[in-house]
Amino acid sequence: MNYSEKVQESIEFADLRNKVQSLLDYLGMETSELESGREFAMKSNEPIVYQMINNNIKQNYIVSSTLQAIRTDIENMHDDIRADIKQEKNALSHADQSEDNA
């Protein structure tokens, strides 16, 4: 197993994509509940509660956006590692062929 494969194995074991996705799913459910609460606060004429809920929705949006950027970075990192592994395997294959020819 070459170095790139070890890195890929470590990253896949960490399962960062699924962990980030779980957080995004939770925030999505939380935001839906907050939106329902915001509607109720508006209908009940509770502007302070409405504003507090609105602030929470904005905070969830910021956290979700950051997590989505992290997820994209993780996916790009996986793609880079796969490309490195392929390149390393090709280099090792060419080195083996050169030794066989010598």
Side-chain angles (χ1 to χ4, degrees):
M1 180 180 283
N2 60 38
Y3 180 72
S4 296
E5 288 173 327
K6 290 178 184 178
V7 171
Q8 181 181 21
E9 185 178 285
S10 296
I11 290 171
E12 287 176 359
F13 180 74
D15 201 19
L16 298 175
R17 283 187 278 192
N18 286 333
K19 290 174 183 174
V20 169
Q21 188 59 52
S22 294
L23 290 170
L24 287 168
D25 293 344
Y26 171 77
L27 286 171
M29 290 186 310
E30 182 76 13
T31 300
S32 294
E33 292 174 16
L34 286 170
E35 287 171 352
S36 297
R38 180 175 63 179
E39 286 178 30
F40 180 77
M42 193 167 60
K43 289 177 184 175
S44 302
N45 198 24
E46 298 181 44
I48 294 173
V49 175
Y50 174 85
Q51 190 58 46
M52 289 172 49
I53 291 171
N54 210 41
N55 289 341
N56 284 343
I57 291 171
K58 289 176 185 177
Q59 291 167 350
N60 281 358
Y61 176 78
I62 292 167
V63 172
S64 293
S65 297
T66 304
L67 287 169
Q68 287 173 349
I70 291 169
R71 184 180 61 189
T72 300
D73 290 345
I74 291 168
E75 290 170 358
N76 290 337
M77 181 179 57
H78 276 260
D79 293 343
D80 290 346
I81 290 170
R82 280 190 208 103
D84 290 344
I85 289 171
K86 185 176 180 180
Q87 191 174 26
E88 234 178 298
K89 284 182 178 179
N90 286 339
L92 290 172
S93 174
H94 290 304
D96 289 344
Q97 288 176 357
S98 296
E99 287 179 18
D100 289 343
N101 292 338

